[in-house]
Amino acid sequence: MPENLDAIFKPRSIAVVGTSRKDGTIGREILYNLVAYGFNGPVYPVNPKAAYVNSIKCYPSISAIPDKVDLAIIVIPKEQVLSVVEECGEKGVKGIVVISAGFKEIGEKGIQLEKELVRMIKKYGIRLVGPNCMGVINTAKDIRMDATFGSTLPLDGQVGFMSQSGALGNIILEYADELKIGFSKFVSMGNKADVSGNDLLMDFEDDENTKIILMYLESFGNPRKFTKIARRLTKKKPIIAVKAGRTLAGARAASSHTGALAGLDVAVDALFEQCGVLRATSIEELFDYAVAFSNQPLPKGKKVAIVTNAGGPGIIATDACVSLGLKMSTFDKETYKKLEEILPEEASTQNPVDILGDGGPKRYEKALDVVLKDINVDSVITIFVPPLMSKALDVAVAISKVSANYDKPVLGCFMGREEVLTSIQELEKNNIPAYLFPESAAKSIAGMYKYRELSKRSEGNIVHFEVEKKKVKSIIDNALSAGKGYLSQDEVRGILEAYGFKYPETQLVKNEEEAVNSANRIGFPVVLKIASLDIIHKSDAGGVVIDLEDEGDLRAAFKKVISNVKSNAPEAKIDGVMVQKMVKGGRETILGMSLDASFGPLIMFGLGGIYVEVLKDVSFRIAPITDLDASDMVKSVKSYPLLKGVRGEKPVDIEEIEKYIQRLSRLVEDFPEIEEMDINPFVVFEKGRCCNVVDARIKIERSYKQNKF
Ligand SMILES: Nc1ncnc2c1ncn2[C@@H]1O[C@H](COP(=O)(O)OP(=O)(O)O)[C@@H](O)[C@H]1O
Ligand SMILES: [Mg+2]
């Protein structure tokens, strides 16, 4: 199979199989678009029942075409698709786009048909887009191919777009046309039987015309491959994605904290974050980003200035910027002075700069120029609310004129519909993104800034640790053959210690006397905990008593633990009681892993203890975790400042935490049988004292196979 997609994107001739004389049919629309957009080569309609379509000579079959055909667009009932594909193969066609539906998306019968389709193209070395899609576009000057049935012809530009939904594809083409966004390539992927999102990413990576990549995704075929490609690609070109649909992680009942917290969409968020992909929450936001990215330079920093003719929208924009992590610029003294000179007394020279409702084009022009000149300004949002006396169009002209002189992003926000329409068009003509509301402008700047930061960060390394893999393998194999799901405390400890984790001293005892002996040996204060495979959350069953100072405390606690468990969990089989050294000081965190159906192991870090599910202060990344991922994970929990120490507290050893996150990642990568695990609490200390696993559980599963991904 050819690796590249030239057969799809650079055909020298195209056949449309199943075109028709009837107006409004898909086959006819495609033929029309190919011709109307000016495809740089011959187009052959194929239909046994017509001699001509759209004044072009029509052929009864692919094999009846006397010349060579590079690409075939197939728009015929699904039953006939296979035989036509075979005919294409015999004729030497190397690229096929199957528009026809009725394959995988309809269930069992369609799945079979799709499998046969894939077998057929493999046999002939054909690359295929679809089935069940709306076609492909390549606007490159030497190709000019619009092989879609879209109702608008595309503008050419820098955006490479892939959409998993055909229906949305057409709306996207229309919307882009309205916003004057031009495409380099546009692909409706359909069922992705052959050409996948990853294939397209690789194509867009090498495509000089593609500067920005937009994706509408419903599922990931191969998330691991996506990670690899996207991590590399986002260093060069921004990828902005809308991911619809939900991952399965949330649908599974989870008994671990990590599983419960790994809600609906965290895997996708984690994946995008790790790869530097910007996530848009809606198609609208996707295009808000697209207009900004395709028309303006990236901001070099996070300092924003706002120039407005109305106070309210200026405040809204300020709030939006700040809440998105941007900063409002504090201007140079010189800037304030100049603003005072050019603005009326009642105007505000502070950021947001309010030039007042009677501010016309001249005032905009001067104020914007002064502000853009200031080195404390990385980007500007200009807001215009049409009052009676000002002319919106002239203001738009003024903004466009000034912003062309600076290499800083300037975004417009013209509030209103009808009355500002021509001015919005004027801005768009001059490559100034125009938004209806200040929040959208703020979001776009924040997105551009975030992308700039993401693209600059290093890729990170998978660090190698000394571990005892064999030891863990034998524990897991034994447990599997005993039919265990949850592992015993001893097994969990054996596994974690083999991967470098440290426990406070712990001993399993069978009766009160043994507990006393053990505590004397370990040294008070100690903790007692019930040991039972049937009890997952020990404190819930009254099975944990902490901070026992002496033998008297201990004896009382022992009786209490046993009687609590007997009444709270009468069915549980008690294996004994654990005596554990009481860990003093430090901070309780949680380390965990849960398995996502399509992304594999998700690693979690956060604030631990018994309130973890209430506080939900956790972060996720997909394994394997690089040193950089681990550092990002720790930094992105809200309580990070607590770890760094507040009010004179010593900071905890953050590097140590990062190392253990990576060790955990290594463990779950090495043992795909591990289905879920929690280390909670994982107690962390200041530098010089080792982190402690105070409590951990691991669930394993035999049927889980790594090749699931
Ligand atoms: N050895 C210990 N030292 C200090 N605190 C402990 C110790 N063991 C348990 N705790 C405290 O008791 C809580 C519950 O104990 P844990 O062993 O995590 O049981 P479970 O999570 O099953 O209820 C922990 O979150 C921690 O706050
Ligand atoms: Mg616990």
Side-chain angles (χ1 to χ4, degrees), residues 152-182:
T152 37
L153 293 175
L155 292 170
D156 59 285
Q158 315 171 345
V159 173
F161 197 107
M162 59 179 96
S163 172
Q164 207 169 335
S165 154
L168 265 178
N170 191 35
I171 295 159
I172 283 162
L173 285 173
E174 282 184 8
Y175 194 33
D177 187 62
E178 202 183 302
L179 296 171
K180 303 282 168 277
I181 291 178

Side-chain angles (χ1 to χ4, degrees), residues 133-345:
C133 72
M134 73 164 287
V136 298
I137 293 174
N138 181 3
T139 63
K141 300 232 159 13
D142 54 339
I143 308 287
R144 288 196 64 85
M145 165 180 68
D146 178 356
T148 70
F149 52 94
S151 46
T152 37
L153 293 175
L155 292 170
D156 59 285
Q158 315 171 345
V159 173
F161 197 107
M162 59 179 96
S163 172
Q164 207 169 335
S165 154
L168 265 178
N170 191 35
I171 295 159
I172 283 162
L173 285 173
E174 282 184 8
Y175 194 33
D177 187 62
E178 202 183 302
L179 296 171
K180 303 282 168 277
I181 291 178
F183 294 102
S184 51
K185 285 173 177 158
F186 173 97
V187 184
S188 157
M189 302 183 283
N191 294 3
K192 305 193 280 193
D194 173 36
V195 173
S196 66
N198 286 334
D199 292 329
L200 291 170
L201 278 184
M202 287 193 283
D203 180 88
F204 290 179
E205 182 176 15
D206 297 331
D207 179 13
E208 275 176 23
N209 296 333
T210 300
K211 302 271 185 329
I212 301 153
I213 297 165
L214 302 189
M215 307 198 293
Y216 171 82
L217 288 179
E218 283 162 5
S219 66
F220 285 89
N222 184 343
R224 298 222 156 194
K225 195 167 167 197
F226 176 87
T227 311
K228 238 174 89 188
I229 303 167
R231 269 190 209 247
R232 182 179 73 217
L233 184 43
T234 50
K235 298 260 165 277
K236 298 178 270 182
K237 303 177 183 185
I239 303 181
I240 309 164
V242 175
K243 163 72 176 66
R246 310 197 139 160
T247 63
L248 290 173
R252 283 190 311 136
S255 55
S256 70
H257 294 300
T258 311
L261 288 162
L264 294 173
D265 241 8
V266 291
V268 180
D269 276 333
L271 180 81
F272 285 170
E273 193 69 41
Q274 275 167 282
C275 303
V277 172
L278 214 55
R279 186 172 191 181
T281 51
S282 62
I283 301 279
E284 194 181 1
E285 203 177 300
L286 184 74
F287 277 95
D288 281 349
Y289 283 137
V291 279
F293 276 89
S294 42
N295 291 305
Q296 289 288 312
L298 295 176
K300 301 215 166 57
K302 55 164 120 172
K303 287 173 282 175
V304 188
I306 294 165
V307 177
T308 177
N309 69 343
I315 294 169
I316 294 174
T318 304
D319 284 350
C321 285
V322 171
S323 74
L324 291 162
L326 297 168
K327 270 183 77 172
M328 292 297 284
S329 318
T330 310
F331 301 140
D332 234 27
K333 276 207 195 82
E334 192 60 21
T335 304
Y336 290 118
K337 225 171 83 195
K338 278 197 210 135
L339 285 173
E340 270 163 31
E341 281 164 25
I342 56 176
L343 297 178
E345 212 174 318

Side-chain angles (χ1 to χ4, degrees), residues 126-137:
I126 294 172
R127 296 304 310 256
L128 171 133
V129 170
N132 184 28
C133 72
M134 73 164 287
V136 298
I137 293 174

Side-chain angles (χ1 to χ4, degrees), residues 527 529 536-539 544 546 580-583 588 609-610 680-681 694-695 697:
V527 174
K529 296 181 194 186
I536 297 171
H537 297 291
K538 297 180 285 298
S539 350
V544 179
I546 62 166
Q580 187 172 64
K581 179 90 188 157
M582 174 76 194
V583 176
E588 295 192 348
I610 48 178
N680 182 33
V694 166
D695 177 36
R697 66 186 117 262

Side-chain angles (χ1 to χ4, degrees), residues 452-590:
R452 194 185 134 87
E453 292 299 296
L454 289 173
S455 66
K456 280 195 311 195
R457 73 178 179 188
S458 74
E459 283 199 35
N461 297 305
I462 304 279
V463 178
H464 180 77
F465 295 98
E466 286 302 321
V467 295
E468 294 174 86
K469 199 169 164 182
K470 276 206 192 101
K471 217 176 200 171
V472 176
K473 184 165 178 355
S474 87
I475 295 175
I476 288 183
D477 285 349
N478 285 339
L480 280 176
S481 40
K484 275 188 192 164
Y486 280 104
L487 301 183
S488 74
Q489 287 302 325
D490 280 344
E491 289 163 327
V492 172
R493 182 170 175 173
I495 290 174
L496 287 175
E497 286 184 339
Y499 272 63
F501 287 85
K502 302 275 187 299
Y503 273 72
E505 200 164 345
T506 311
Q507 195 173 13
L508 182 68
V509 299
K510 298 287 176 195
N511 55 47
E512 200 178 306
E513 290 319 310
E514 275 182 35
V516 172
N517 289 339
S518 165
N520 279 324
R521 196 183 54 75
I522 291 171
F524 286 96
V526 293
V527 174
L528 281 190
K529 296 181 194 186
I530 197 71
S532 164
L533 279 177
D534 303 322
I535 296 173
I536 297 171
H537 297 291
K538 297 180 285 298
S539 350
D540 291 354
V544 179
V545 187
I546 62 166
D547 215 2
L548 305 168
E549 298 277 0
D550 53 38
E551 191 179 321
D553 278 2
L554 181 78
R555 286 187 184 274
F558 192 94
K559 292 184 186 87
K560 198 169 130 206
V561 163
I562 300 289
S563 77
N564 277 352
V565 171
K566 282 205 165 133
S567 66
N568 293 333
E571 268 97 61
K573 180 180 167 292
I574 298 175
D575 302 319
V577 174
M578 284 178 291
V579 183
Q580 187 172 64
K581 179 90 188 157
M582 174 76 194
V583 176
K584 294 268 188 185
R587 241 151 280 160
E588 295 192 348
T589 66
I590 179 168

